[in-house]
Amino acid sequence: MNYLKLFSPATVANVSCGFDSLGLAADTIGDEMTFTKTAEKGVKITAISGASLSYKVDENAASAVVQKMLNEANADFGVSLTISKGYSPGSGLGSSAASAAGAAFGANQLLGNIYSELELVKFAMFGEEVACGSQIADNVAAAIYGGFVLIRSYEPLEIIKLPVPKELKLVAIHPQVEVKTKDARAVLPTKIDLKDAITQWANVGGLISGLYTEDYQLISNSLVDIIVEPYRKKLIPHFDEVKNAAIKSGALGAGISGSGPTIFALCKGDEDAKKVHSAINESYKNTGIEFTLFTSKINEKGIKILESN
């Protein structure tokens, strides 16, 4: 393969109860990236649209990943790269992860698929470190594996792909406010009560069980975060109104996507998703804050090749 164009999806991390351990891939929004083999070694970004990102190879999450992979594989070619961002950085929808995961996937295709999905996650985690200073896996793993993923362990890295119930839908609103990941981390407690910890890990177990058994009521009962959300929601204007509107209109549950400000809701079926979409829109349209709102199925495939030759 000498050229490919791909779609790398937006992702929802944490999924309420699974802080830093659960993620899912969206299908409606994401990045489009192209990768072209060049005779000249090295990596060059030739175009970036949709966001203001660095063209410097070692400062851009995507190009840094491609460069690392080419070096480790002793590639005898270079790569020309373009990035079209489908949504803005700082959204809480894994913007840097979409770039890093897409880069790992695309470079692997040009290298002849020599790396496993787990190895691609490790390369993409390097891109996350370039972008935000931490080698986090929940967003990049969801983008690469697709569907729901559980980061069972970081040392060694162990990722479990979870099933997706057929009728599960995602609705998400991205208020146009900035929530810096550093600030969202800073508000978290350093210690938690044992009682709260027990409740939280029981919810994680319940959510995973609900995904395997397609038990929507169990999924609903388990989409509860008593550890992170109470602190982070203060950074997101009108969070409680949105969450309450979503649940009252039929959502299984709602919470903060990643570190915010995006608020997500999971729903059973298209009809409930439409009602939740409408209710969230009504709850936010008079706040004076610009926002984007979308509905999506869960993307079970993850990154998709759009063109290749």
Side-chain angles (χ1 to χ4, degrees), residues 135-150:
Q135 289 210 12
I136 49 180
D138 43 9
N139 290 104
V140 292
I144 289 169
Y145 280 74
F148 274 85
V149 293
L150 169 69

Side-chain angles (χ1 to χ4, degrees), residues 95-153:
S95 178
S96 60
S99 296
F105 183 97
N108 192 43
Q109 292 294 315
L110 297 186
L111 288 165
N113 266 326
I114 61 175
Y115 294 112
S116 68
E117 286 184 328
L118 187 66
E119 289 171 318
L120 294 185
V121 171
K122 292 177 181 178
F123 282 120
M125 288 169 64
F126 169 72
E128 285 283 64
E129 184 177 26
V130 170
C132 58
S134 300
Q135 289 210 12
I136 49 180
D138 43 9
N139 290 104
V140 292
I144 289 169
Y145 280 74
F148 274 85
V149 293
L150 169 69
I151 315 302
R152 216 275 323 157
S153 168

Side-chain angles (χ1 to χ4, degrees), residues 238-252:
H238 310 287
F239 172 82
D240 285 333
E241 294 94 318
V242 171
K243 180 175 180 178
N244 291 336
I247 292 173
K248 284 181 180 178
S249 59
L252 299 171

Side-chain angles (χ1 to χ4, degrees), residues 28-142:
T28 304
I29 65 170
D31 292 352
E32 289 190 358
M33 307 172 70
T34 68
F35 302 79
T36 306
K37 273 187 180 180
T38 60
E40 183 181 355
K41 290 186 178 182
V43 180
K44 184 178 181 181
I45 304 173
T46 58
I48 300 173
S49 61
S52 179
L53 302 175
S54 176
Y55 277 80
K56 294 182 179 178
V57 172
D58 58 349
E59 293 179 3
N60 184 292
S63 54
V65 168
V66 175
Q67 185 68 72
K68 183 177 179 67
M69 293 177 69
L70 295 181
N71 290 343
E72 293 205 9
N74 293 315
D76 60 358
F77 61 88
V79 173
S80 174
L81 175 68
T82 71
I83 306 167
S84 177
K85 299 296 294 180
Y87 59 107
S88 59
S91 60
L93 288 165
S95 178
S96 60
S99 296
F105 183 97
N108 192 43
Q109 292 294 315
L110 297 186
L111 288 165
N113 266 326
I114 61 175
Y115 294 112
S116 68
E117 286 184 328
L118 187 66
E119 289 171 318
L120 294 185
V121 171
K122 292 177 181 178
F123 282 120
M125 288 169 64
F126 169 72
E128 285 283 64
E129 184 177 26
V130 170
C132 58
S134 300
Q135 289 210 12
I136 49 180
D138 43 9
N139 290 104
V140 292

